[in-house]
Amino acid sequence: SRPVLRVEPTVSFDPPIISLDNKNCQSFKNFTATVCFPVSKATKDNIADLQVNISYTFTLDATRSVYRAYFSTGNRMINNTVTARVEVKCVKHQFKIPECPEDSLVSLSNELRFSVSGYPSLSTANLKPILDVSTQTDIFFPLDFERHCGTDDKCVDQLNVNFIFSGVSE
């Protein structure tokens, strides 16, 4: 039978949070997304020469029509393919976010979609490994905005409005 592989991707961001210390609203903050594909065997076998192509699309701020982050190409989407064995394969992608984004309350919801195609294994009469059917191939990885919510990390609105009427006579 064909060897079965598990792929459980992760995405980490550097910096890990979007700072709201707006210094210059005409500039951008640089970020790095590290997309990792840990490939492991789901079947118990002795096949050592398993290899797969992982094709993926990584979309920044995927749930919004007007996006707040983009790659150097000006697009929010990047397509790539990596070749992996039973290992952890990582790729870094640089992107930018404006210093003063339009909406800083809702996290960036970044989507990773991927597919796997196996190479024939020479040690098993050219059997190709397949992806475990329970694998989730469309995953969201949020990038949160900085929140200043006090020591208990509970945000409470503290909006005060003062009205001063000048030049009004009774």
Side-chain angles (χ1 to χ4, degrees):
S1 67
R2 293 172 69 179
V4 178
L5 298 178
R6 283 190 195 99
V7 179
E8 297 174 353
T10 61
V11 176
S12 60
F13 300 99
D14 184 29
I17 199 157
I18 304 167
S19 170
L20 293 177
D21 295 333
N22 303 334
K23 295 174 181 71
N24 178 359
C25 289
Q26 302 303 314
S27 65
F28 298 87
K29 295 176 187 169
N30 294 314
F31 286 79
T32 301
T34 303
V35 180
C36 293
F37 295 96
V39 179
S40 61
K41 290 167 69 169
T43 50
K44 306 231 184 280
D45 57 49
N46 295 321
I47 305 168
D49 64 342
L50 297 176
Q51 191 172 345
V52 293
N53 256 355
I54 302 171
S55 298
Y56 67 93
T57 300
F58 185 54
T59 307
L60 298 170
D61 212 8
T63 57
R64 296 176 58 104
S65 57
V66 177
Y67 50 95
R68 299 165 288 178
Y70 58 90
F71 297 105
S72 60
T73 59
N75 294 323
R76 69 168 162 182
M77 186 182 301
I78 196 162
N79 296 302
N80 198 16
T81 301
V82 295
T83 300
R85 297 184 179 279
V86 177
E87 63 181 330
V88 177
K89 190 73 161 199
C90 296
V91 181
K92 292 183 183 289
H93 297 287
Q94 307 297 319
F95 66 97
K96 297 177 185 268
I97 298 175
E99 281 275 352
C100 303
E102 186 177 302
D103 173 5
S104 60
L105 295 176
V106 179
S107 301
L108 271 71
S109 188
N110 307 296
E111 181 182 29
L112 180 68
R113 287 179 185 242
F114 72 98
S115 62
V116 173
S117 59
Y119 285 102
S121 168
L122 299 176
S123 65
T124 62
N126 290 329
L127 285 177
K128 291 182 182 179
I130 58 172
L131 188 61
D132 186 331
V133 294
S134 66
T135 301
Q136 187 177 352
T137 58
D138 187 3
I139 308 167
F140 285 87
F141 296 92
L143 177 57
D144 295 324
F145 285 93
E146 179 178 53
R147 302 257 193 287
H148 297 289
C149 296
T151 55
D152 63 357
D153 204 30
K154 291 184 180 176
C155 292
V156 178
D157 291 336
Q158 294 178 337
L159 179 63
N160 293 321
V161 179
N162 292 325
F163 292 99
I164 299 174
F165 297 98
S166 61
V168 176
S169 61
E170 291 182 23

